[in-house]
Amino acid sequence: MVLQILNRSRVYYVFIGYLFSTDAIGAMEKYAKELVHSVMERAEAVYQHSGVKMNVEKKVGTGDAKDVICHTVEKLRADTLVMGSHGYGFFKRTLLGSVSDHCAKNVNCPVVIVKHPKQNRV
């Protein structure tokens, strides 16, 4: 539940028992935009250095990741969806759900899921 509270010059949002001022929300939104920009730059560098000619479109969405991704794939009529996997174990995947699994079952194009390489455990 989200409540909006107006108090003269400030707006506060109450979200599941926490109180955030507009300053805090603005700082979180700025951080999220910077993070998205950083990830997009890294992805762009990878495909540019691959030597393969491809059409890449960058889209940023908000909402539940699995819904946003599936909707965007449908809207763009994508040929292929390539996505990463967190590599969660059975219990985390059961509790949190798997975005890549959901997308693989619900989009109308081939899906490539890239896993993180296993790290050497000592």
Side-chain angles (χ1 to χ4, degrees), residues 23-43:
D23 296 338
I25 292 172
M28 288 187 286
E29 288 175 346
K30 181 181 177 197
Y31 173 75
K33 287 178 184 177
E34 290 171 354
L35 183 61
V36 166
H37 181 71
S38 172
V39 169
M40 292 293 203
E41 280 184 337
R42 287 186 287 157

Side-chain angles (χ1 to χ4, degrees), residues 3-103:
L3 300 174
Q4 184 178 25
I5 301 170
L6 301 172
N7 182 0
R8 292 190 185 154
S9 63
R10 292 204 159 189
V11 178
Y12 295 91
Y13 294 91
V14 179
F15 181 71
I16 311 177
Y18 294 99
L19 188 65
F20 295 107
S21 74
T22 54
D23 296 338
I25 292 172
M28 288 187 286
E29 288 175 346
K30 181 181 177 197
Y31 173 75
K33 287 178 184 177
E34 290 171 354
L35 183 61
V36 166
H37 181 71
S38 172
V39 169
M40 292 293 203
E41 280 184 337
R42 287 186 287 157
E44 190 173 358
V46 168
Y47 82 78
Q48 284 182 346
H49 289 93
S50 70
V52 177
K53 297 286 184 190
M54 65 180 100
N55 180 23
V56 176
E57 292 185 43
K58 296 185 270 187
K59 302 287 183 186
V60 177
T62 58
D64 189 2
K66 63 183 183 239
D67 296 332
V68 172
I69 293 168
C70 290
H71 175 73
T72 303
V73 166
E74 181 182 320
K75 184 177 171 183
L76 296 175
R77 295 187 207 165
D79 297 321
T80 305
L81 171 61
V82 179
M83 56 191 317
S85 171
H86 287 287
Y88 291 151
F90 174 76
F91 292 109
K92 275 190 181 178
R93 197 170 48 249
T94 301
L95 291 172
L96 300 175
S98 169
V99 173
S100 57
D101 185 55
H102 176 86
C103 292

